[in-house]
Structures are given as structure tokens and as C-alpha cells.
């Protein structure tokens, strides 16, 4: 026996051990999913063989009928899942059944909470795959031979799920893989023909490969096919029940929760394709993982080609799960080819419309609040990313607003417009770092007084959102913290007229020479003494903070201090003779304006000292 064929024992990668512990401990109440996972692997392996055989016919080895067989033994307490797919070489068995190659593994472990119920939901989303075998088995034996290899190059992999596996080269005439589960004592009930048929029907009916089992009954012989063996998406919509759609979703997405909605269509005409898209009930744990690029399975002529999403749906719809099946692409289509392909462009455009249509339907229902809280932040990216559908996406946006004291985002732009003031020309918004900072911003005082609604934007993506969404249905979107608000009523108009020769304003300007671009009397303020305002084309203070926080260089740009001439603090300042004292108060005015909008002071200790000096002086005076 050469070294190569020797039996050797190997340790699992530490992440596999961690996953195995989790699988065994937290999936107890969903134990039956082991069968779905193994059948799905078998079906994938058959898909891979078909795909490889497109360029090398000999891989079929004169057995081109694709089959999955399922069997069990009461006597030995075993279940066997067998396929005649691509199979595994010795190296592949070591590699694929001893490590977790999937992207997002690190994020997955990082997102675990230690709470068994929550973690079992996460693990469901992650997809336990092959390791699900250990939920019900205390010994798993995999025997396989890769299509195209000699029959002496079979492999046997075996493990009791304790952190190690053994691997050995064996002879195997048949290509493909056989997985034997030696059932745990408390899982013996699964070695039962009735139950296995039931589970296959429930979880694997849509697998397009026939699953065969020996016939049951005293004098029955031979095998029978126990699933429908047609891909679910190719069936007629009217023949598919909601339960079937839901089960299919769970198998597709590894999500235990029900999908919120789905849209299934057979498109005919210039291009023919079938699509089935699901909107999940909850955001997947890796929604913010930039590497993640899965979610949509692409089939060409029923053959699984790749799991992709970016080529088929834009990134802002990355939470969608589903299937596309078309005859219009070549079978050997690659990722690179997809990037510049007219057919995929047409499928993509059509798919976006279908998904947006599905979201629009949810928007009319009570589920939209839930949808928005799960996916709203991602959908906002659509305004930035998808120029063609910008208006459609904009209609789906929801915001918090000054109409409401809670941060619930439930105001649409259409609703805002429907109740705007008659002569109001702009849609007003404010962007701040957090709901509280937005809601209490001094910039909104005059809007409150004039009873003009302002949208409160308080998520990091909002800065980019408003820089792309400058108009909606003929109305401009305008920041309440930018520019001189000429349009805000005539009441304050007179004050501005005096502003030019207002001595107080001049004095403040001199005192703050290096800190502000200008000082002017405000039309915005009713209660606060002062606030800082950016120019119409200037970056907002919030965006500056976000950019600085991400380590980007931001050019220094001074803003305008607006003062509330009516405020007692300013009236007090008017009477100061001592220029030093005046300068201290002017600094305080500037610094409290920075603080009130959630900003950071350049010299916080200096501010505290100035404030204390002023307080003590007043106390002693
Ligand atoms: P996933 O299927 O999500 O990649 P699994 O843990 O289910 O993860 O399987 C790991 C790998 O093991 C698969 O990617 C595949 O390469 C291999 N594998 C599992 N089952 C089979 C099978 N029946 N035939 C061939 N290869 C298989």
C-alpha cells in the first residue's frame, strides 16, 4: 500500500468544530433538515456533472440517467443518500468535508450571540450543508469517486463528529457519492420509509432530479420515484400552493422564517426566461458584508450555472433571493461574459421591475413598516445606484418627520407633498447624526413656527441620498440647515433688512473672524440664540463628520453663524463694553452652535473654561 492510499486521520478546521457543536446543540428542533441538505448537495453534484459533461461527454461513463437514491435500514439504523453526480476525489473530500470554504464564515461566527434560539436562526441562514448530517447521526461514512477517475481512486471519508475524520483510498466502480448516516439512538425514528417520503415531499419535491426509494410493502419490488422531479419555478403558478412556495424559499435561502412576499413570472417575447424572486421576512446576517454576492441562482436550460446576484440584480436589491432560468444564454456562460451581455441586461432590467413591483405591493400593505425597518437602509442606496428607476425607488422611501415625535420612518415623499403648505416650493429635510439631533436641531425652529413639515434624516447613507435625490415630482429637496431661507415667511424679513447695519452683528463677526465665514441675523431661529449654516453648495457639517470619521481629508470650510436678534443672550451682549468679555460670549455662541448640532469642538477644555469664567463673573456681579 502506498502512502497515498493509506488511511489517515485528520483534524477538522477549527471553524468546522465550532459549527458542528452549534449544529448539534441548536438545531435539535429542526432536525429533519438534514435530509434536505444532503439531497440538495446530491442535486448540486449532479448539476456539476452535467455542466462538466457539456465539454467532456465521457464523464457520463455510459450512465447518463441522473438519479438520487434514498434508502434506510431498520436493522442497522442507517439512512443512505446516494447520487451519480460529479463525486469527490481524495483531495476534494479532505478539502470540502473538513473545512468551510464559504464566504462570510468569519462574519457568521462573529454574529453569534450565545443565545441558542437566535443562533439557530443564524445558523439556518448560514447554511449548515453537509454537517447537518451530524444532527441525527453519530457516525457518517462518505464513499465517493470523482467522475473520470479510475475505479481504484475512490475515497472513503468517515467521522463521528468529534473533531477528526479519517480518509482512505478505496475501490469504487460507480462514480458519484454515497453518504451513510448511522443514526443516533434518539434519531432512529428517521429510518422509516413513510417518514422519509414525507420529508422528501415537503423539502425536496422541487428538486428537478428524480429521488428514488425502494417500494414498500410485502410483495413490492423495485424502486419508485417519490418527488415531482420538476423544478418548482417551471411549473404553472396556479398549480403551486403558498406552502410549496414557502418551503422552496427555505431550501433556497437557508432561512427558517417565512418570506414576506414573492413574485413568479414566465417572461416571453424577445427574451424568454422564468424568474422567481423572494423578499425575505428578515434581513440576512450578512446583508452588510461587501464580499457577499450570492442570492440569485442562475440556471441555463435547467442546468445550474452559478449563484450570483450583482449581474442579475443591483446591489441595493441584495436582500432578494431567487432563481432565474433562461434558454437564451449559452451554457458555458461565465461571470465575465455576463458583464457584457445583452440578454442578461434585458433580464436584469426586467427583474428589477418585477422586484420593485413586489415591493410596491408590500408598500400598500401593513407589512411595509417591517419591510422598511429590515431593508430600508439598503433600498436607499437605489436612489444613488439606479438612475433609471430613481423615481420608482424614491416613492418607496420612508422618512421620520417633524410631524411625529417618534423615530418611526413612515412618511413618504408623496404624502409629504400632499399636505405641504399651499405656497411651499421645496421639500425640506435635515440630516443629522441620530434622530434626537435631527429632531431637536435649532435649524428647525422657524419651520415649526411656520408649521412647515421637515423630514428628519439620521442615517449615514442619508447624506448620499440627498446629494442624489435633489428633486421629486417637480419639487426641490432642500436642506433646512443650508443657505439663507428667503422663502421662510415675511415676518422675519424686516429683521434681515436691518442686518446690514446691525452693529452687534459686526462686532460678533470681528470677534469670530477666524472661525466663521459670515455672521447674519437668522430667519430660522425662535428659541436658540444661534446656529451654524452651510452655504447652498457647501458640504454639510454632518457629512464632514462622516468623512472625517472614515479618515478622509476634508478641506477646511467655514460656515455662517446665524444669530437670533431677539434672544436675551444677544440683547445682553449688545450692552457689553468690555471687548474681551464680548469676545468670550461670541466664542460661547459659536461653540454652543457646534454642540447643538451634534458636532465636536476643536478646543473643548477652552470652551469649559470660557463658560465657567462667564458663569462666575455673573454670579459675582
Ligand atoms: P455547500 O454545499 O454549501 O458548499 P456543504 O457543507 O453542503 O456546503 O458541502 C461542502 C462541499 O462538499 C460542497 O461544496 C461539495 O464540494 C462537497 N460535497 C458535498 N456533498 C457532495 C456530494 N453529494 N457530491 C459531491 N460533492 C459533495
Amino acid at each position: 500500500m502506498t502512502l497515498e492510499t493509506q488511511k489517515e486521520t485528520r483534524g477538522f478546521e477549527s471553524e468546522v468544530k465550532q459549527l458542528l457543536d452549534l449544529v448539534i446543540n441548536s438545531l435539535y428542533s429542526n432536525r429533519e433538515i438534514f435530509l434536505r441538505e444532503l439531497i440538495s448537495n446530491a442535486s448540486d453534484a449532479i448539476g456539476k456533472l452535467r455542466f462538466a459533461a457539456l465539454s467532456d461527454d465521457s464523464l457520463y461513463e455510459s450512465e447518463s440517467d441522473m438519479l438520487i437514491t434514498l434508502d434506510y435500514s431498520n436493522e442497522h439504523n442507517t439512512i443512505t443518500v446516494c447520487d451519480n453526480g460529479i463525486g469527490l476525489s481524495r483531495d476534494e473530500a479532505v478539502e470540502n468535508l473538513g473545512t468551510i470554504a464559504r464566504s462570510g464564515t468569519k462574519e457568521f461566527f462573529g454574529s453569534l450571540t450565545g443565545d441558542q434560539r437566535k443562533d439557530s436562526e443564524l445558523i439556518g441562514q448560514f447554511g449548515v450543508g453537509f454537517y447537518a448530517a451530524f444532527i441525527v447521526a453519530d457516525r457518517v461514512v462518505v464513499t465517493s469517486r470523482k467522475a473520470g477517475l479510475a475505479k481504484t481512486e475512490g475515497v472513503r471519508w468517515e467521522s463521528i463528529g468529534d473533531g477528526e475524520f479519517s480518509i482512505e483510498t478505496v475501490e469504487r466502480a460507480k462514480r458519484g457519492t454515497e453518504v451513510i448516516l448511522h443514526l443516533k439512538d434518539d434519531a432512529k425514528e428517521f429510518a422509516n420509509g413513510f417518514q422519509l417520503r414525507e420529508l422528501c415531499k415537503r423539502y425536496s419535491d422541487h428538486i428537478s432530479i428524480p429521488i428514488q426509494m425502494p417500494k414498500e410493502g410485502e410483495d413490492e419490488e423495485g424502486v419508485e420515484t417519490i418527488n415531482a422531479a420538476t423544478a418548482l419555478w417551471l411549473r404553472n403558478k396556479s398549480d403551486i400552493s403558498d406552502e410549496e412556495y414557502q418551503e422552496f424559499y427555505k431550501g433556497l435561502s437557508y432561512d427558517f422564517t417565512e418570506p414576506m412576499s414573492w413574485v413568479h413570472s414566465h417572461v416571453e417575447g424577445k427574451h424568454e426566461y422564468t424568474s422567481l424572486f423572494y423578499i425575505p421576512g428578515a434581513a440576512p446576517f450578512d446583508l452588510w458584508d461587501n464580499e457577499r454576492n450570492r442570492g440569485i441562482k442562475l440556471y441555463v436550460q435547467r442546468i445550474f450555472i452559478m449563484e450570483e446576484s450583482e449581474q442579475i440584480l443591483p446591489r441595493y436589491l441584495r436582500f432578494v433571493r431567487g432563481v432565474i432560468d433562461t434558454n437564451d444564454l449559452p451554457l458555458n456562460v461565465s461571470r465575465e461574459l455576463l458583464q457584457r451581455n445583452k440578454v442578461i441586461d434585458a433580464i436584469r432590467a426586467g427583474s428589477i421591475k418585477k422586484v420593485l413591483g413586489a415591493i410596491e405591493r408590500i408598500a400598500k400593505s401593513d407589512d411595509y413598516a417591517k419591510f422598511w425597518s429590515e431593508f430600508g437602509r439598503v433600498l436607499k442606496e437605489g436612489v444613488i445606484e439606479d438612475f433609471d428607476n430613481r423615481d420608482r425607488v424614491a416613492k418607496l422611501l420612508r422618512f421620520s418627520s417633524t410631524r411625529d415625535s417618534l423615530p418611526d420612518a413612515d412618511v413618504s415623499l408623496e404624502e409629504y407633498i400632499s399636505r405641504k403648505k399651499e405656497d411651499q416650493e421645496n421639500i425640506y429635510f435635515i440630516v443629522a447624526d441620530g434622530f434626537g439631533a435631527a429632531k431637536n436641531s435649532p435649524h428647525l425652529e422657524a419651520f415649526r413656527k411656520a408649521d412647515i413639515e421637515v423630514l428628519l434624516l439620521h442615517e449615514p447613507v442619508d447624506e448620499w441620498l440627498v446629494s442624489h435625490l435633489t428633486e421629486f415630482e417637480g419639487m426641490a429637496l432642500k436642506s433646512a440647515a443650508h443657505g439663507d431661507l428667503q422663502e421662510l415667511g415675511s415676518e422675519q424679513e424686516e429683521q434681515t433688512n436691518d442686518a446690514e447695519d446691525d452693529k452687534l452683528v459686526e462686532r460678533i463677526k470681528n470677534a469670530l473672524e477666524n472661525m466663521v465665514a459670515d455672521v447674519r441675523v437668522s430667519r430660522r431661529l425662535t428659541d436658540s440664540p444661534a446656529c451654524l449654516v452651510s452655504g447652498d453648495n457647501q458640504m454639510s457639517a454632518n457629512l464632514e463628520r462622516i468623512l472625517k470619521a472614515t479618515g478622509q481629508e476634508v478641506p477646511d470650510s467655514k460656515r455662517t453663524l446665524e444669530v437670533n436678534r431677539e434672544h436675551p443672550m444677544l440683547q445682553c451682549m449688545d450692552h457689553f463694553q468690555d471687548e474681551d468679555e464680548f469676545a468670550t460670549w461670541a466664542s460661547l455662541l459659536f461653540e454652543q452652535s457646534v454642540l447643538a448640532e451634534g458636532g465636536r469642538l476643536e478646543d473643548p477644555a477652552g470652551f469649559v473654561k470660557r463658560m465657567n469664567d462667564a458663569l462666575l463673573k455673573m454670579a459675582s456681579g
Side-chain angles (χ1 to χ4, degrees), residues 41-42 45 48 83 86-88 96-97 102 128-131 177 254:
N41 279 349
K48 284 181 198 162
D83 66 69
I86 190 86
L88 290 157
N96 298 337
L97 306 180
R102 209 158 327 145
V128 278
F130 170 73
Y131 303 106
T177 305
Y254 299 118

Side-chain angles (χ1 to χ4, degrees), residues 294-346:
R294 296 178 289 127
I296 308 293
K297 291 195 161 151
L298 175 67
Y299 287 76
V300 173
Q301 299 168 32
R302 330 268 169 282
I303 295 184
F304 173 69
I305 304 292
M306 66 180 91
E307 182 157 359
E308 251 289 335
S309 40
E310 218 148 329
Q311 308 306 336
I312 298 166
L313 286 176
R315 273 195 61 75
Y316 75 96
L317 297 175
R318 62 184 174 273
F319 52 88
V320 176
R321 300 286 171 265
V323 174
I324 293 271
D325 194 342
T326 179
N327 292 344
D328 293 356
L329 283 169
L331 272 162
N332 60 355
V333 66
S334 63
R335 277 203 169 76
E336 292 66 38
L337 211 79
L338 281 185
Q339 275 162 10
R340 42 192 162 77
N341 181 292
K342 288 221 163 60
V343 180
I344 206 77
D345 287 348

Side-chain angles (χ1 to χ4, degrees), residues 35 91 146 214 227 231 240 314 321 340 345 355 374 396 476 589:
L35 192 63
D91 287 349
K146 183 155 179 151
N227 61 336
I240 308 174
R321 300 286 171 265
R340 42 192 162 77
D345 287 348
V355 172
E374 295 290 329
L396 290 166
L589 215 50

